[in-house]
Amino acid sequence: MPVPILIKNARCVSSLGIIQQDVLLEDGKISKLGIINEKYAEHIVDASLLYLLPGALDPHVHFRDPGLFWKEDLRTGSRAAAAGGVTGFFDMPNTKPSTISFEAMAQRKKIASKQSIVNYNFFIGATNTNLDVLNDVENVPGIKIFMGSSTGDLLVDDVNDLDHIFANGSRLIAVHAEDDDIINAAKEIYKNSKDFNDHQFTRPPEAALKATTLAVELAIKYQRRLHILHMTTKDEVRYLEMQKSKAPISAEVCPQHMLLSAPFIYEKLGAYAQINPPIRDMIHGEALWNGLVSGVIDCIATDHAPHTHAEKAKSFGEAPSGMPGVETSLPLMLDRANRGMCKLEDVVKWMCEKPVELYHVKNKGHILEGYDADLVLIDMGEQKTIENGKLYTKVNWSPFDSWTTNGWPVITIVNGHIVFQEGDIDETVMGQEINIRS
Ligand code: DOR
Ligand code: ZN
């Protein structure tokens, strides 16, 4: 059991506003809010100059465990999360073996219970033949469908197979929405290219829009819960704006798709800028930001998908797609709040409250009595530079290398334990499986 912690005078942030108060943490829960006598706690944190946020929930990461441990594992991925103020994550099924069976899911949860220092859960991956697993596996945030090929070999691209999955069951379906035929035709055109800037054209906006349209149509047909992963185009934002009210549909966006843009990022980073779906020109990035601000896009995820320097050193066509992000997403958004582009309350909505709401997570995402003590203390005045070689992710690089930002986590608390404090990580803290309401 963690020792009671009293956080004094914290400016507690929710989407509705900011209240300065004391927060008492006992037995892994937020036990009391208000003016609290210091005699109640062994450990006191003076937070008069800090903001207290519910811990961020990153609903889209690839921590590579099991099977791809040279890129990341659940210990290193969760350390990076803790450093970034992320107290929980949902991890994707393109591991080795793929997370597509009862056994693979049980194995992942077992590894996480021993290795993850923040809270966790895992998507079950869809194939054309595992409908029973998709519907019967217990306590998962949702079903992941790759509608277009990406890293790994998971793919369900046939309309009838997709229809069958949407028609049977009620669990949330999260889609990587890119049309495989359009991708394959475009790849053929660019097969001799050596230019990383062409990556965006091998996976054009039409591929994203076509797959998103199909997924939305199926969600409307069967009134199925649908989540569109990593949106990248202005066209999808506009389409979703029109369709969203017709079914329980939600969407996420990643910081890299809003903040980085073609062609500059490909010229600067080459293979390191490569991600699926791709980073596109600024018009799309701006539409994504506007979609988030207007509420068409619900939440922020990172798609933290690390690959090593050696893998990224390969040529165009050979280098894998994906980039890390779990430890930089909250700081990047805090920086935006500092610059007046949004409010701190919005950041809490997009990174803490909405993921919890969309995925039906129990007891998290708010600073309320009885809720889990997953919290992050923020110093909005702290300035730091994101630097390759000084990160917690195993691959130790970031597409935001050399960006100086204002507003950083100083203490991260998981289940009432301080897991990260000003650069130090306590690896004795163990995360727990995140409970999902069925
Ligand atoms: O760029 C990507 N990388 N997109 C994906 O869909 C998968 C991911 C990975 O696992 O590397
Ligand atoms: Zn992903």
Side-chain angles (χ1 to χ4, degrees):
M1 275 295 170
V3 297
I5 298 175
L6 177 57
I7 306 172
K8 286 294 284 178
N9 280 315
R11 279 172 268 184
C12 300
V13 189
S14 79
S15 60
L16 300 176
I18 300 177
I19 303 172
Q20 191 152 22
Q21 59 189 346
D22 304 335
V23 180
L24 183 63
L25 314 181
E26 291 175 296
D27 300 337
K29 304 275 178 206
I30 299 167
S31 58
K32 200 166 162 38
L33 300 169
I35 299 171
I36 303 166
N37 194 301
E38 302 196 355
K39 73 177 183 215
Y40 287 108
E42 283 171 42
H43 190 119
I44 293 166
V45 178
D46 175 12
S48 335
L49 299 174
L50 304 175
Y51 290 87
L52 186 67
L53 275 54
L57 172 60
D58 189 339
H60 185 165
V61 303
H62 301 255
F63 284 168
R64 311 298 195 196
D65 200 347
L68 302 160
F69 57 86
W70 62 92
K71 300 173 195 275
E72 196 77 283
D73 58 50
L74 281 161
R75 177 56 56 93
T76 56
S78 64
R79 282 170 54 98
V86 173
T87 55
F89 62 84
F90 296 149
D91 197 326
M92 289 296 169
N94 57 340
T95 39
K96 273 208 163 79
S98 300
T99 317
I100 53 176
S101 64
F102 295 112
E103 298 74 27
M105 179 60 76
Q107 188 198 8
R108 291 200 84 184
K109 288 188 174 174
K110 191 166 164 206
I111 299 170
S113 72
K114 299 197 170 72
Q115 295 299 328
S116 182
I117 64 167
V118 303
N119 298 322
Y120 55 84
N121 209 327
F122 300 91
F123 283 90
I124 187 75
T127 69
N128 295 334
T129 54
N130 69 345
L131 190 65
D132 58 329
V133 183
L134 301 184
N135 288 328
D136 295 344
V137 69
E138 279 177 23
N139 197 43
V140 297
I143 297 165
K144 166 73 182 276
I145 304 182
F146 282 91
M147 297 173 74
S149 312
S150 191
T151 310
D153 51 14
L154 290 175
L155 180 67
V156 182
D157 62 340
D158 183 85
V159 180
N160 296 321
D161 293 330
L162 288 164
D163 191 285
H164 191 57
I165 296 172
F166 274 79
N168 294 287
S170 58
R171 188 162 258 168
L172 179 143
I173 295 176
V175 290
H176 178 128
E178 288 187 288
D179 181 81
D180 216 43
D181 291 337
I182 297 181
I183 294 172
N184 289 333
K187 275 194 177 158
E188 186 60 26
I189 297 169
Y190 292 95
K191 66 175 183 230
N192 296 320
S193 170
K194 298 267 171 281
D195 184 354
F196 283 101
N197 187 44
D198 287 338
H199 179 62
Q200 58 180 311
F201 307 122
T202 64
R203 313 181 75 103
E206 304 84 78
L209 182 62
K210 187 170 175 204
T212 290
T213 304
L214 174 58
V216 165
E217 282 170 1
L218 290 171
I220 293 170
K221 181 173 173 189
Y222 296 110
Q223 286 302 304
R224 185 79 191 245
R225 282 166 69 207
L226 169 67
H227 184 71
I228 318 273
L229 300 161
H230 42 42
M231 294 244 296
T232 56
T233 67
K234 64 177 175 27
D235 318 78
E236 287 168 290
V237 176
R238 204 168 29 190
Y239 174 71
L240 208 62
E241 191 173 6
M242 295 183 300
Q243 304 297 327
K244 220 180 158 200
S245 61
K246 298 180 186 166
I249 301 170
S250 56
E252 71 185 29
V253 64
C254 304
Q256 57 270 32
H257 290 122
M258 294 189 289
L259 305 185
L260 305 177
S261 59
F264 322 102
I265 200 64
Y266 293 100
E267 283 158 16
K268 187 167 167 217
L269 298 182
Y272 292 91
Q274 208 182 296
I275 171 176
N276 304 335
I279 290 167
R280 310 183 192 276
D281 66 41
M282 215 138 50
I283 296 190
H284 292 287
E286 278 170 12
L288 294 169
W289 175 254
N290 292 337
L292 182 65
V293 170
S294 71
V296 176
I297 298 176
D298 300 86
C299 70
I300 293 175
T302 65
D303 195 11
H304 177 93
H307 297 284
T308 63
H309 288 296
E311 290 162 333
K312 287 290 191 181
K314 294 180 181 170
S315 59
F316 181 56
E318 299 296 321
S321 293
M323 54 179 60
V326 73
E327 68 197 274
T328 50
S329 55
L330 183 58
L332 287 164
M333 289 302 132
L334 296 174
D335 187 63
R336 293 220 135 188
N338 255 325
R339 286 196 273 148
M341 299 175 73
C342 61
K343 296 198 294 185
L344 201 47
E345 290 93 320
D346 298 322
V347 177
V348 168
K349 178 171 69 189
W350 300 329
M351 301 194 67
C352 316
E353 295 179 1
K354 274 285 177 177
V356 157
E357 181 189 318
L358 298 173
Y359 284 101
H360 295 179
V361 173
K362 285 186 194 161
N363 242 31
K364 296 189 190 291
H366 298 271
I367 303 175
L368 292 174
E369 285 177 7
Y371 273 59
D372 294 346
D374 293 347
L375 299 159
V376 55
L377 275 158
I378 301 293
D379 181 351
M380 284 302 271
E382 185 172 357
Q383 184 175 81
K384 274 203 323 205
T385 302
I386 299 165
E387 268 181 86
N388 287 355
K390 296 197 175 163
L391 294 158
Y392 290 85
T393 173
K394 199 180 265 189
V395 297
N396 218 335
W397 63 269
S398 163
F400 298 100
D401 174 52
S402 82
W403 282 44
T404 298
T405 64
N406 290 291
W408 282 83
V410 287
I411 293 180
T412 306
I413 297 170
V414 172
N415 308 322
H417 296 270
I418 294 180
V419 67
F420 170 85
Q421 182 158 20
E422 295 185 39
D424 290 329
I425 287 190
D426 181 353
E427 288 199 14
T428 64
V429 174
M430 283 294 102
Q432 291 169 8
E433 181 174 332
I434 295 172
N435 287 320
I436 310 287
R437 279 183 280 117
S438 50

